[in-house]
Amino acid sequence: MVACDTVDAYYPLLADIYYPTIDQGAYGNVTKSWMLDKSVACNFAPAGAKAKKDVIPNTTVTIDSSLIGRTRTDLRFSSLDSKNAVTNIIITNIRDRFGNVVYMEASGPRAGQPTLFEIATNEPIVGPFGKVDYFKVVIRRSENQAVTV
């Protein structure tokens, strides 16, 4: 059963979180089978120039592939409380409160389907009273949009 958060003014979007089941073959080849675990309330927006790692000279058009946002819960823990590295998490199907997909692929193997994102950072933000208020999450569009989820 998939756990699902509720949206509100601070977290107006929902996103699906996938964790892998990892199998290793006899020759060391690793296969990941992605399983939908939960839908979390979140808020994401383009990261902007502040999140850029490199200055690229002579570039006239760039596409932001990073989003910055927040979630109520730590995404490294599944709904069954299993621990996962941020490299073993896929975020997709980011949608508004009416179910409209916000980030969708326009071409390629996932044309017309929600964009796949990987987590770049997941940091707890502690409020003035010593309690974690939310988790700051930076996600990056996955280079491999051909993954089956």
Side-chain angles (χ1 to χ4, degrees):
M1 184 170 154
V2 176
C4 188
D5 263 346
T6 56
V7 296
D8 59 25
Y10 289 115
Y11 304 95
L13 304 173
L14 282 174
D16 292 343
I17 310 299
Y18 286 79
Y19 299 104
T21 301
I22 302 171
D23 295 318
Q24 188 167 6
Y27 297 107
N29 56 328
V30 175
T31 306
K32 292 183 180 182
S33 301
W34 296 95
M35 305 287 288
L36 174 62
D37 183 70
K38 58 187 170 183
S39 292
V40 296
C42 57
N43 189 3
F44 285 108
K50 226 172 153 179
K52 297 262 190 254
K53 292 188 284 187
D54 302 321
V55 175
I56 304 170
N58 301 325
T59 302
T60 55
V61 176
T62 60
I63 298 174
D64 282 339
S65 61
S66 295
L67 301 173
I68 189 167
R70 62 168 59 187
T71 63
R72 289 186 190 115
T73 58
D74 191 346
L75 299 179
R76 295 173 298 170
F77 297 95
S78 72
S79 60
L80 301 174
D81 282 335
S82 65
K83 299 167 186 70
N84 294 279
V86 294
T87 55
N88 279 339
I89 302 169
I90 287 182
I91 299 175
T92 189
N93 198 21
I94 299 174
R95 57 203 182 277
D96 64 16
R97 66 174 41 188
F98 304 108
N100 302 314
V101 175
V102 179
Y103 300 101
M104 184 182 301
E105 289 297 301
S107 63
R110 289 185 58 83
Q113 295 180 2
T115 302
L116 299 176
F117 292 95
E118 299 169 349
I119 296 178
T121 61
N122 182 49
E123 302 171 352
I125 302 300
V126 179
F129 301 108
K131 178 180 166 261
V132 175
D133 284 343
Y134 62 92
F135 290 85
K136 175 182 152 191
V137 181
V138 177
I139 59 176
R140 188 178 318 116
R141 182 182 175 274
S142 177
E143 291 291 324
N144 184 5
Q145 290 292 317
V147 172
T148 303
V149 291

